[in-house]
Amino acid sequence: MSLKNAFNYYEKEAFKDDILATYEGEALASEDEIALELAENYKEAAEAASNDLLESAAAVNAARNANFSPLLTGRRIWERLRAYLCKVLNATSAAEDIIEAILDFLIGVIPGGMVLKGIVRKILKYFINRGYNALCPVV
């Protein structure tokens, strides 16, 4: 993964348009694959943010790496994202609305808002393929 394809607030519309145009070609990922990619995106963004903002970035990054559990981190982000999507979307939400909701959530969770296109494509494809009713059961 590379942060060169990360979300840039000032390029948001182009970012969303690219995802909308390319998500159908994305392989359908499992929830665990999505969770692991979310964790990797989080970790890479945290390291980049640390390097940009902290004087002792090496120590912070080493401590993070020593205590980082990709599957645990990714699953926590995924469950929170899924709950958020179920709250703000409905069964008739268009792909554009889903992308917007994904970005709204992830830019607040991923350090520096450095959200990768690949993970947004995977989440969008997964959400559309599975459907709102399958992912957001009524309790």
Side-chain angles (χ1 to χ4, degrees):
M1 254 187 255
S2 168
L3 287 176
K4 69 180 178 130
N5 287 320
F7 172 73
N8 178 327
Y9 180 78
Y10 300 104
E11 301 168 349
K12 186 175 184 181
E13 293 308 313
F15 189 88
K16 290 182 343 186
D17 290 345
D18 181 57
I19 291 167
L20 191 57
T22 59
Y23 82 92
E24 290 176 342
E26 188 72 42
L28 187 59
S30 69
E31 285 191 6
D32 281 349
E33 290 169 325
I34 290 172
L36 288 171
E37 284 204 36
L38 282 167
E40 189 62 30
N41 189 163
Y42 181 90
K43 183 179 174 190
E44 284 188 31
E47 287 177 1
S50 294
N51 292 336
D52 287 345
L53 302 172
L54 303 175
E55 287 185 36
S56 59
V60 170
N61 289 336
R64 181 183 305 107
N65 290 337
N67 295 299
F68 190 77
S69 169
L71 196 52
L72 178 64
T73 300
R75 282 184 180 157
R76 285 182 177 167
I77 295 170
W78 170 242
E79 288 306 316
R80 288 176 50 209
L81 171 59
R82 192 168 142 183
Y84 176 78
L85 294 177
C86 292
K87 181 179 173 183
V88 301
L89 299 173
N90 60 52
T92 62
S93 294
E96 294 88 349
D97 299 326
I98 299 168
I99 293 169
E100 187 73 34
I102 292 167
L103 289 175
D104 285 349
F105 177 84
L106 290 179
I107 61 173
V109 172
I110 303 296
M114 294 181 229
V115 179
L116 297 173
K117 286 180 185 178
I119 189 58
V120 177
R121 277 195 284 271
K122 281 182 174 37
I123 295 166
L124 177 62
K125 178 140 187 182
Y126 185 84
F127 199 86
I128 288 175
N129 238 328
R130 291 285 311 272
Y132 177 87
N133 292 328
L135 291 171
C136 305
V138 177
V139 248

